[in-house]
């Protein structure tokens, strides 16, 4: 209950507000409460709204992990309650020729990788940027989901918003950018849209987007309990099983990932300090925070594989012609040196923050209380004959037991287990096994009755069978109903998980027809493409369908949430 003086202020505000303003406040407060409670998606309860003068809208979403879809679906549900006819469509299913016919369209879109749209929005993104179309009749708004840990925060949403305006569309609510804790901002945006629809979009909301600083993702500090190389000594790979203990509450679900900010190697930081002649203790401001130069170069600034946009800015500072390329800062300084320490401090201002790296959770909160596990392949590659390692995988693989490490949980509402009585088919070669170890451990711990079928593969049985003992135990205890293995280098011809799927195609089809959920995790190319094509072959042959009908069947599985990918 509010204190008396606060209650009077509240009552005065309510009595002096219009119905539309009350609707806006309702959504605003609901969003704040959702954010406080850590709700995974925006909760935007809005009552049926007399006065809505728009009859039909389209809500279009582009998603990678499912957050944009959940927000768009909630928006659609509430809009329908207000008497609006809503067409809710994923951008990969949207007929692009309809765009010029739209009167009202609202876009919910996430940003992936280096400022790119999600794969499901790529076709739409390219269409509006490459086609010279007129959108003069379109009234729209964009809700952009992103992660402020990345340098190009909400870039895909920004690009879509700018291009729609360029093509003549009219924004009736300004672009709203949201961090990972997006419930509050999404609710505010939705309320602004509803308020504008009450006036038929004739009175556009021209105020600046809400700039309330989001509470942001919850950061954890944990202690390394185990760091074990799962591969045998004769393997060509190095895959680390890392267990992290956390004191206090730890919230994650199977299918989520955890994000780490890696640290740059000391010898590289020292070399940069030496070649530029700067004092490592010099205080600088980077992204509105104060650090010494050494601190910033070690754990805050990306100095590896600089993107072309940064290299271009560097060229302007040192006034030299530099080819369009991606290059490490140290190499850039050696080839195109700065003239003095002051010029290097200019360079520091154009560098971008260290982006987090995400690793699928390979533990179960039910089976591994107070811990989170990850499965990390130490990435190695050659550049001009020199052996190099991936920055974060190298950092994590070298962490000693009892070392503290900071991380955050990255929710993935798309890649989740179904009900306990549903069957699941898990296809995860290599480190793609990570979320499926989490899935199986969770189903074992809660006593799920659904059947579990695992396809796993790697290079060699003797050296690369990740989690072999655990998988065998799950088979022996009946948790795993079926396991099929594919080790590509144990025979003359390469053998992959898709070949095992074809060997068991009839039974696989029976499982699918019986309602199984299919999960794929691992390399996007070529693995996930090959597996999907194999599934289409199985659907064609055992479902008695043409190629077109097989694709339609697979698309229906996707729409039903029964075909789910977590690929990279």
């Amino acid at each position: 209950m509010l204190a008396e003086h606060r209650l009077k202020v509240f009552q005065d505000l309510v009595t002096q507000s219009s119905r539309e303003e009350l609707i806006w406040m309702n959504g605003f407060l609901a969003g704040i409460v959702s954010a406080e409670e850590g709700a995974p998606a925006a909760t935007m309860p809005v009552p049926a709204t007399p006065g809505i003068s728009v009859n039909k809208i389209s809500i279009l979403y582009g998603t990678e992990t499912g957050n944009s879809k959940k927000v768009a679906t909630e928006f659609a549900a509430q809009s329908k309650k207000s008497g609006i006819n809503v067409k809710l469509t994923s951008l990969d299913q949207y007929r692009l020729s309809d765009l010029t016919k739209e009167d009202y369209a609202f876009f919910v879109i996430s940003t992936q990788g280096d400022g790119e749209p999600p794969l499901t929005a790529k076709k739409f993104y390219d269409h509006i940027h490459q086609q010279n179309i007129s959108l003069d009749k379109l009234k729209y708004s964009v809700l952009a989901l992103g992660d402020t840990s990345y340098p190009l925060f909400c870039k895909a949403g920004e690009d879509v918003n700018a291009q729609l305006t360029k093509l003549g569309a009219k924004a009736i609510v300004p672009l709203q950018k949201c961090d990972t804790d997006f419930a509050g901002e999404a609710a505010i945006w939705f309320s602004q849209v509803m308020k504008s629809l009450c006036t038929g979009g004739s009175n556009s909301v021209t105020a600046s987007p809400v700039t309330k600083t989001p509470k942001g993702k919850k950061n954890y500090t944990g202690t390394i309990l185990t760091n074990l190389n799962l591969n045998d000594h004769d393997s060509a790979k190095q895959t680390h099983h890392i267990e992290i203990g956390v004191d206090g509450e730890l919230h994650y679900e199977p299918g989520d990932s955890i994000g780490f900010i890696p640290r740059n190697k000391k010898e590289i930081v020292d070399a940069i300090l030496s070649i530029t002649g700067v004092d490592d203790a010099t205080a600088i401001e980077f992204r509105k925070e104060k650090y010494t130069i050494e601190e910033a170069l070690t754990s805050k600034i990306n100095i590896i594989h600089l993107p072309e946009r940064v290299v271009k800015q560097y060229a302007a500072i040192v006034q030299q012609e530099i080819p369009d390329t991606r290059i490490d800062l140290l190499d850039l300084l050696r080839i195109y040196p700065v003239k003095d320490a002051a010029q290097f401090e200019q360079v520091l201002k154009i560098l971008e923050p260290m982006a987090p790296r995400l690793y699928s959770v390979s533990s179960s909160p039910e089976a591994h209380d107070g811990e989170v596990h990850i499965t990390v392949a130490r990435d190695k590659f050659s550049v001009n004959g020199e052996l190099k390692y991936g920055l974060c995988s190298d950092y994590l693989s070298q962490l000693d037991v009892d070392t503290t490490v900071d991380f955050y949980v990255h929710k993935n509402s798309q890649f989740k287990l179904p009900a306990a009585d549903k069957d699941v088919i898990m296809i995860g070669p290599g480190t793609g096994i990570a979320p499926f170890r989490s899935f199986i451990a969770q189903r074992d711990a809660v006593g799920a009755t659904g059947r579990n079928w695992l396809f796993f593969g790697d290079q060699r049985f003797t050296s690369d069978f990740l989690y072999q003992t655990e998988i065998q135990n799950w088979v022996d205890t009946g948790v795993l109903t079926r396991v099929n293995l594919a080790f590509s280098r144990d025979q003359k011809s390469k053998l992959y998980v898709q070949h095992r799927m074809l060997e068991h195609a009839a039974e696989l089809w029976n499982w699918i027809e019986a309602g199984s959920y299919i999960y794929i995790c691992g390399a996007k190319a070529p693995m996930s493409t090959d597996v999907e094509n194999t599934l289409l072959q199985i659907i064609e042959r055992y479902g008695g369908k043409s190629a077109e009908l097989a694709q339609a069947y697979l698309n229906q599985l996707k729409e039903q949430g029964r075909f789910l990918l977590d690929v990279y």
Side-chain angles (χ1 to χ4, degrees):
M1 184 68 180
L2 291 174
E4 185 175 348
H5 67 285
R6 290 182 177 176
L7 180 61
K8 185 178 187 308
V9 172
F10 179 73
Q11 289 172 331
D12 288 344
L13 178 63
V14 169
T15 55
Q16 294 170 18
S17 298
S18 68
R19 182 176 184 82
E20 288 76 16
E21 288 170 333
L22 290 173
I23 292 169
W24 186 92
M25 286 187 279
N26 179 45
F28 176 78
L29 292 172
I32 291 176
V33 172
S34 301
E36 291 284 350
E37 295 174 348
T43 302
M44 301 171 288
V46 177
T49 310
I52 291 287
S53 58
V54 174
N55 296 321
K56 180 182 177 182
I57 64 173
S58 291
I59 301 173
L60 309 173
Y61 62 88
T63 190
E64 192 82 16
T65 64
N67 287 334
S68 293
K69 180 179 180 179
K70 293 197 84 167
V71 173
T73 302
E74 179 69 19
F75 179 24
Q78 297 298 339
S79 298
K80 288 177 181 177
K81 288 180 182 179
S82 298
I84 301 174
N85 183 14
V86 180
K87 179 173 71 177
L88 174 68
T89 312
S90 172
L91 283 168
D92 62 338
Q93 302 293 318
Y94 182 67
R95 190 164 55 192
L96 297 174
S97 58
D98 285 350
L99 188 59
T100 56
K101 306 171 188 176
E102 300 279 8
D103 291 315
Y104 292 89
F106 301 95
F107 302 85
V108 184
I109 185 168
S110 61
T111 295
Q112 308 305 315
D114 197 24
E116 301 159 0
L119 186 61
T120 56
K122 187 69 166 61
K123 181 176 66 172
F124 170 81
Y125 183 93
D126 290 343
H127 176 75
I128 62 172
H129 282 85
Q130 296 170 5
Q131 301 298 318
N132 186 22
I133 56 178
S134 174
L135 299 179
D136 290 347
K137 68 179 290 190
L138 176 66
K139 298 180 181 68
Y140 80 96
S141 183
V142 175
L143 180 72
L145 304 188
D147 185 337
T148 50
S149 300
Y150 289 86
L152 297 182
F153 172 57
C154 288
K155 184 66 165 57
E158 288 180 337
D159 289 348
V160 167
N161 183 69
Q163 190 62 20
L164 290 174
T165 297
K166 185 177 179 181
L167 295 173
K170 178 184 179 184
I172 63 172
V173 171
L175 167 73
Q176 177 66 62
K177 298 191 290 185
C178 304
D179 198 3
T180 54
D181 183 16
F182 53 78
E185 281 69 35
I188 292 168
W189 175 80
F190 174 72
S191 296
Q192 290 178 322
V193 168
M194 294 300 289
K195 183 175 181 180
S196 182
L197 292 179
C198 286
T199 61
S202 59
N203 296 318
S204 301
V205 180
T206 56
S208 298
V210 177
T211 56
K212 178 181 77 71
T213 302
K215 292 178 68 176
K217 60 190 75 66
K218 179 174 175 52
N219 294 304
Y220 295 93
T221 297
T223 303
I224 302 296
L225 304 176
T226 300
N227 191 341
L228 174 68
N229 180 13
L230 296 173
N231 300 100
D232 210 340
H233 61 87
D234 58 344
S235 175
K237 299 183 175 184
Q238 200 173 325
T239 309
H240 285 251
H241 171 73
I242 301 174
E243 300 180 359
I244 305 169
V246 176
D247 292 330
E249 292 188 351
L250 172 63
H251 299 288
Y252 70 90
E253 297 177 274
D256 290 341
S257 299
I258 58 175
F260 298 89
I261 302 293
R263 296 174 70 88
N264 292 311
K265 288 184 174 294
K266 186 177 187 305
E267 55 266 32
I268 295 176
V269 173
D270 288 345
I272 290 172
L273 294 171
S274 175
I275 201 171
T276 58
V278 298
D279 184 345
D280 60 359
T282 300
I284 62 165
E285 183 177 287
F286 182 73
R287 301 296 167 110
K288 300 181 180 179
E289 298 287 343
K290 297 282 189 181
Y291 308 100
T292 67
I293 286 183
E294 183 179 35
E295 287 172 338
L297 290 174
T298 299
S299 59
K300 303 299 177 183
I301 296 177
N302 176 44
I303 61 175
I304 305 297
H305 210 43
L306 303 183
E308 291 180 11
R309 60 180 176 271
V310 173
V311 175
K312 287 180 180 179
Q313 294 178 75
Y314 181 95
I317 291 172
V318 299
Q319 297 183 333
Q320 296 195 56
E321 291 288 333
I322 302 177
D324 291 342
T325 186
R326 301 196 67 152
I327 186 172
D328 291 354
L329 178 61
L330 181 57
D331 292 334
L332 200 56
L333 290 165
R334 284 170 173 163
I335 302 169
Y336 308 98
V338 293
K339 64 182 180 181
D340 53 30
Q343 193 173 65
F344 180 63
E345 290 190 33
Q346 284 183 266
V347 170
L348 288 174
K349 293 178 182 178
I350 59 112
L351 298 178
E352 295 179 347
M354 187 96 73
R357 274 66 164 178
L358 298 177
Y359 292 88
S360 297
V361 166
S362 56
S363 55
S364 153
E366 295 293 332
H368 308 100
D369 185 39
E371 299 178 10
V372 62
H373 304 171
I374 54 173
T375 309
V376 179
R378 191 184 185 202
D379 184 29
K380 61 180 179 180
F381 51 95
S382 178
V383 177
N384 298 323
E386 181 184 358
L387 180 64
K388 290 181 175 288
Y389 293 96
L391 178 63
C392 195
S393 64
D394 186 48
Y395 161 71
L396 290 171
S397 67
Q398 304 304 304
L399 290 175
D400 293 326
V401 171
D402 293 331
T403 304
T404 58
V405 61
D406 295 327
F407 65 93
Y408 68 93
V409 174
H410 181 87
K411 306 299 290 183
N412 185 346
S413 59
Q414 187 88 342
F415 205 73
K416 286 287 180 282
L417 280 166
D421 62 341
K422 301 297 184 182
D423 298 337
V424 298
I425 300 165
M426 299 164 283
I427 306 163
T431 53
I433 188 66
F436 301 140
R437 179 179 184 262
S438 175
F439 279 19
I440 300 164
Q442 181 79 359
R443 298 201 108 193
D444 186 20
V446 302
T449 57
R451 297 177 297 172
N452 306 297
W453 188 347
L454 174 66
F455 289 88
F456 171 74
D458 214 309
Q459 292 187 351
R460 300 189 184 279
F461 176 88
T462 56
S463 59
D464 304 312
F465 191 169
L466 309 182
Y467 300 113
Q468 178 180 357
T469 301
E470 288 184 334
I471 289 172
Q472 185 60 56
N473 288 340
W474 281 321
V475 172
D476 292 342
T477 58
V479 178
L480 271 173
T481 312
R482 298 183 64 123
V483 175
N484 290 107
L485 307 171
F487 294 98
S488 61
R489 309 294 172 85
D490 280 350
Q491 57 283 311
K492 288 185 179 180
S493 58
K494 298 289 180 64
L495 182 68
Y496 298 114
V497 287
Q498 62 265 29
H499 299 129
R500 294 301 191 201
M501 291 167 62
L502 288 172
E503 288 176 6
H504 301 276
E507 183 65 12
L508 197 58
W509 171 248
N510 289 336
W511 276 53
I512 295 170
E513 276 287 87
S516 293
Y517 286 65
I518 306 167
Y519 298 85
I520 302 173
C521 184
K524 182 181 294 185
M527 186 278 295
S528 69
T529 302
D530 291 342
V531 167
E532 186 164 338
N533 288 336
T534 300
L535 279 171
L536 287 170
Q537 291 178 47
I538 293 170
I539 295 167
E540 277 188 60
R541 179 177 176 183
Y542 292 91
K545 302 179 186 298
S546 65
E548 292 76 13
L549 288 176
Q551 185 64 62
Y553 183 95
L554 188 61
N555 289 342
Q556 187 178 32
L557 292 181
K558 293 178 182 178
E559 284 299 309
Q560 294 171 347
R562 288 179 50 209
F563 181 75
L564 302 165
L565 287 82
D566 183 9
V567 295
Y568 37 84

